[in-house]
Amino acid sequence: MTATETRKFEAEVAQVLHLVTHSLYSHKEIFLRELISNASDACDKLRFESIAKPVLLAGDAELHIDVSWDPEARTITVRDNGVGMSRDEIVANIGTIASSGTRRFLEAMSTEQKSDARLIGQFGVGFYSAFVVADRVTVLSRRAGSPASDGVKWESDGKGEYSLEQIELPERGTAVVLHLKADEDEFLKRWELRSLITRYSDHVAFPIRMPVEKDDKPSDEWETVNAASALWTKPKSEISDEDYQSFYKSLGHDFNDALAWTHNRVEGNQSFTTLLYIPSQPPFELMMGGRDERKGLKLYIKRVFIMDAAEELLPNYLRFVRGVVDADDLPLNVSREILQQNRQLERIKSACVKRVLDLIEKLAKDEPAKFETFYKAFGNTLKEGIVEDHANRERIAKLLRFASTKGEGNVQNVSLDDYIGRMQVGQDTIWYITADSHAAAVGSPQLEAFKAKGIEVLLMSDRIDEWMLGSLNEYAGKKLRNVAKGDLPLDEEGKKQQEEASKLAEPLLKKLKDLLGDRVADVKVSARLTDSPSCLALSDYEMAPHLARLLREAGHDMPANKPTLEINPQHALLKRVEAESDEGKAGDLANLLLEQAEIAAGAQLPDPAAFVQRMNRVLLG
């Protein structure tokens, strides 16, 4: 025995406790889901460690989770005979930040007006949900393989401090004892606890046991109250939609139903089972954690949990997928390093990608409402696959949807196949424009010639579009081109008209070049403009101004490219510049023509104050 030691929680853990205990009043019951989930993880870890060290299971080989209650003491206990924790592990897992997930949890919670219980569990902070219903929590734990004298008692009221004490603990594993608050009597009823287990934890792969009730009191007899089987190992004919949804919610810590799922068994030289889900909305760690830390796709080998192996089983652009993969013939001593280079795993990864894309294609074909929900949630994430997955680029491109000059406002519902089906006779190019908003795209002067000729243009205003299009040059044999880049293709008559217009405008072009000096690379007569006086023209490989501006704002060094200004010599403003003899006034007009073109293209004005002064001078005459 050692003396009791009192420690303070790390500041961020104290914040988590405060948010959890004050914000999740409408989802109190999740504490049981999270504690059972942690207990299941502990059993999984022990089962995996015991493959190499069978002695760890000595005397107690049947792994299980026990949920008991004591009406008189007003306690609920969740006990497992899993791997257990040492003193240092308890401090690391409960008293301090175990991962950056805790910080992201705080960021997400603080941005929500009504804090959302979906966050609990997704960031590794599920244990703290115990304090939603308990004013004191006691943890008793002993690491598998350690002597009984190495037991640890952890206790806290959740208000800033916790105590640690070394105790004698005859059994390995962990027991979490919740001393319930005065108004939480509902959780001291067996039927309530059992219904919660059925709702949230029925498909946990270890037996969850409860005492049999006799004379309205818990007895010494135990019964298993969950299905206690790996759902994915059952034949599909024996699994109901309700079973699939229940398993998804326990797997993904989600209160919402999954949007769709695919369950497959592959037999042959390499046998494995996949059960993959698409959520109905983005998981919070997808939005907060980005591409770096990915979980949610679990790897099992012969039903033994190995790891959250999303990185090895699915590419980044499918990081929203949840589910399990259970392989029969991967080596059980597998490690991350071996996983990353394992050929069998590459085949499983290819199969997972195919299944997910098949599922999304099925939604697009057969369930348009569900596909619309999917695309709103994950369309931009899917676009990353155009850059990252060359082998499936055509399949992914087929699933993308865009707004269009012939579409319904800013609704993204036009596919590339739709566009091709509406192409004009002789048209061999898919035309698009990128901008930093739909309004900027639809109002761009570069569209004028296309509108005049009735040519459809795709309107792309998501930040990822410009980056994605660097890798999407062609689809179904048709070139993709930005209406704002390069010279427009003209027929012989159009070329002749363009040459004549340029020749007639030579004095005006020279005047503008002289007035604008080194602010422009060139001034040309535009084939794009019919109504507006000016626009910017980019080279085929030049970055769009709105994207360059965003990258500069993010701290990236971007080369300062001089723009090419295209003009419409027939416009009244150009006529005015041509007739203006006062060099100062002509200079103001020329600079305003350039600056309005820059604004329309989403570029950042180099000197906004000078622009305002010029505008005022012109307005005052």
Side-chain angles (χ1 to χ4, degrees):
M1 293 286 187
T2 60
T4 302
E5 177 188 358
T6 300
R7 295 188 179 191
K8 285 188 177 294
F9 285 112
E10 276 198 3
E12 277 136 331
V13 173
Q15 286 178 265
V16 168
L17 282 167
H18 177 80
L19 282 166
V20 166
T21 54
H22 290 82
S23 301
L24 298 179
Y25 52 84
S26 61
H27 294 290
K28 293 177 181 180
E29 72 274 9
I30 65 165
F31 78 89
L32 192 59
R33 180 193 75 181
E34 293 307 321
L35 295 181
I36 289 174
S37 178
N38 289 346
S40 175
D41 288 347
C43 292
D44 269 327
K45 288 173 184 174
L46 180 58
R47 188 160 63 173
F48 182 47
E49 288 187 18
S50 68
I51 294 166
K53 298 179 182 178
V55 70
L56 293 177
L57 288 173
D60 191 10
E62 295 297 320
L63 298 170
H64 55 82
I65 301 163
D66 294 343
V67 178
S68 58
W69 74 103
D70 186 334
E72 294 179 6
R74 304 192 76 259
T75 60
I76 297 171
T77 301
V78 179
R79 184 189 305 274
D80 67 75
N81 60 344
V83 72
M85 291 180 285
S86 66
R87 180 188 182 92
D88 289 344
E89 286 172 324
I90 280 187
V91 171
N93 292 332
I94 302 177
T96 59
I97 290 184
S99 75
S100 60
T102 308
R103 186 179 299 278
R104 289 203 307 277
F105 169 83
L106 287 169
E107 291 170 356
M109 288 281 276
S110 63
T111 59
E112 290 288 298
Q113 289 297 315
K114 294 178 71 175
S115 298
D116 198 318
R118 285 175 298 155
L119 294 164
I120 290 292
Q122 292 190 10
F123 293 96
V125 295
F127 168 78
Y128 305 124
S129 64
F131 289 99
V132 174
V133 297
D135 53 22
R136 182 160 53 94
V137 177
T138 305
V139 179
L140 308 172
S141 192
R142 175 165 72 81
R143 189 73 161 75
S146 299
S149 58
D150 280 358
V152 183
K153 178 181 178 181
W154 178 101
E155 193 166 70
S156 177
D157 60 4
K159 294 178 181 176
E161 293 182 340
Y162 62 92
S163 64
L164 281 171
E165 182 183 354
Q166 188 170 339
I167 60 169
E168 190 82 14
L169 205 60
E171 299 173 333
R172 70 157 194 265
T174 301
V176 181
V177 184
L178 280 64
H179 306 265
L180 295 186
K181 295 174 182 177
D183 56 348
E184 304 298 348
D185 289 358
E186 62 183 294
F187 298 114
L188 290 172
K189 298 180 176 66
R190 186 181 195 275
W191 64 267
E192 174 69 15
L193 294 173
R194 178 164 184 170
S195 70
L196 293 176
I197 291 169
T198 301
R199 187 187 314 167
Y200 292 122
S201 308
D202 198 45
H203 298 293
V204 167
F206 300 97
I208 301 173
R209 309 187 313 179
M210 293 186 73
V212 175
E213 202 166 39
K214 294 180 179 179
D215 300 322
D216 293 327
K217 290 184 178 180
S219 68
D220 294 334
E221 184 182 341
W222 295 85
E223 71 167 334
T224 298
V225 296
N226 69 319
S229 64
L231 178 85
W232 61 89
T233 62
K234 295 181 180 180
K236 287 193 278 187
S237 59
E238 296 178 13
I239 309 174
S240 67
D241 286 358
E242 188 177 348
D243 290 333
Y244 277 120
Q245 293 287 16
S246 175
F247 180 66
Y248 165 74
K249 289 172 183 176
S250 66
L251 183 77
H253 301 279
D254 199 342
F255 282 90
N256 303 295
D257 283 346
L259 187 67
W261 60 87
T262 176
H263 184 189
N264 300 281
R265 173 74 181 167
V266 176
E267 302 281 2
N269 294 333
Q270 184 176 12
S271 299
F272 58 91
T273 300
T274 60
L275 174 53
L276 308 172
Y277 291 90
I278 295 176
S280 56
Q281 57 189 5
F284 271 85
E285 81 273 19
L286 178 70
M287 297 188 296
M288 299 301 298
R291 294 160 55 91
D292 298 331
E293 290 185 29
R294 292 195 288 130
K295 296 189 176 181
L297 197 60
K298 297 177 182 293
L299 173 64
Y300 290 78
I301 298 176
K302 298 174 183 172
R303 282 157 294 289
V304 176
F305 174 70
I306 303 300
M307 65 174 73
D308 283 304
E311 296 90 338
E312 284 79 15
L313 295 170
L314 279 174
N316 256 316
Y317 72 93
L318 296 178
R319 59 187 177 276
F320 51 82
V321 173
R322 297 290 176 265
V324 297
V325 175
D326 191 346
D328 289 354
D329 48 6
L330 286 172
L332 275 174
N333 63 342
V334 73
S335 68
R336 275 195 181 276
E337 291 70 31
I338 296 172
L339 271 178
Q340 288 167 354
Q341 300 168 19
N342 189 289
R343 289 184 180 178
Q344 291 169 295
L345 204 73
E346 277 300 313
R347 286 195 284 272
I348 294 175
K349 182 176 182 178
S350 295
C352 287
V353 172
K354 181 181 183 301
R355 294 298 183 191
V356 174
L357 293 178
D358 285 346
L359 181 58
I360 299 171
E361 286 173 352
K362 187 174 184 299
L363 289 180
K365 181 182 177 184
D366 300 333
E367 300 185 81
K370 281 190 175 182
F371 179 77
E372 184 180 348
T373 299
F374 161 79
Y375 199 78
K376 283 181 180 176
F378 306 113
N380 279 352
T381 313
L382 188 66
K383 287 176 183 177
E384 296 173 18
I386 295 292
V387 179
E388 296 174 356
D389 190 354
H390 180 79
N392 289 298
R393 186 173 294 164
E394 193 88 356
R395 288 189 74 184
I396 297 167
K398 192 179 186 70
L399 294 167
L400 301 184
R401 300 292 184 269
F402 306 98
S404 158
T405 53
K406 292 191 177 178
E408 304 164 20
N410 63 354
V411 178
Q412 296 184 5
N413 60 2
V414 177
S415 70
L416 294 175
D417 288 330
D418 293 336
Y419 183 100
I420 291 172
R422 294 196 289 256
M423 274 185 169
Q424 295 186 358
V425 176
Q427 184 182 342
D428 61 356
T429 301
I430 299 171
W431 292 100
Y432 68 86
I433 188 169
T434 62
D436 58 0
S437 70
H438 177 77
V442 78
S444 173
Q446 279 108 335
L447 295 179
E448 291 174 1
F450 292 86
K451 289 178 180 176
K453 294 176 182 177
I455 298 173
E456 183 174 9
V457 178
L458 298 176
L459 307 170
M460 303 189 187
S461 54
D462 292 322
R463 290 188 174 187
I464 193 173
D465 289 335
E466 183 81 15
W467 175 71
M468 172 196 73
L469 289 159
S471 299
L472 186 61
N473 303 312
E474 187 175 302
Y475 175 78
K478 308 291 185 184
K479 292 286 186 185
L480 274 81
R481 283 198 57 187
N482 190 328
V483 299
K485 293 187 178 182
D487 294 325
L488 294 191
L490 301 170
D491 57 23
E492 289 304 317
E493 179 64 26
K495 288 178 183 176
K496 186 177 178 182
Q497 290 176 358
Q498 182 73 3
E499 288 171 4
E500 289 174 357
S502 298
K503 191 170 184 180
L504 287 170
E506 277 181 3
L508 176 59
L509 295 174
K510 183 178 185 309
K511 184 174 185 178
L512 286 169
K513 288 177 191 176
D514 291 341
L515 290 168
L516 293 171
D518 60 5
R519 287 196 66 182
V520 293
D522 199 3
V523 182
K524 295 180 178 178
V525 172
S526 180
R528 295 174 171 85
L529 300 173
T530 59
D531 301 318
S532 298
S534 62
C535 69
L536 294 189
L538 308 175
S539 67
D540 286 323
Y541 303 104
E542 193 174 343
M543 186 180 294
H546 70 274
L547 182 60
R549 188 193 76 236
L550 289 172
L551 291 172
R552 283 194 196 95
E553 290 170 356
H556 296 278
D557 289 329
M558 301 301 297
N561 292 322
K562 291 181 183 179
T564 294
L565 181 67
E566 288 194 354
I567 63 163
N568 174 6
Q570 302 308 312
H571 195 279
L573 273 178
L574 275 302
K575 298 288 187 186
R576 185 173 167 187
V577 173
E578 194 172 22
E580 183 59 66
S581 57
D582 185 310
E583 190 169 335
K585 291 180 179 180
D588 282 342
L589 289 168
N591 279 283
L592 286 174
L593 284 168
L594 172 61
E595 287 162 347
Q596 66 172 259
E598 289 175 328
I599 292 170
Q604 190 169 16
L605 293 181
D607 191 346
F611 165 74
V612 171
Q613 290 166 6
R614 264 190 291 276
M615 181 65 75
N616 289 340
R617 286 196 297 269
V618 170
L619 289 172
L620 291 170

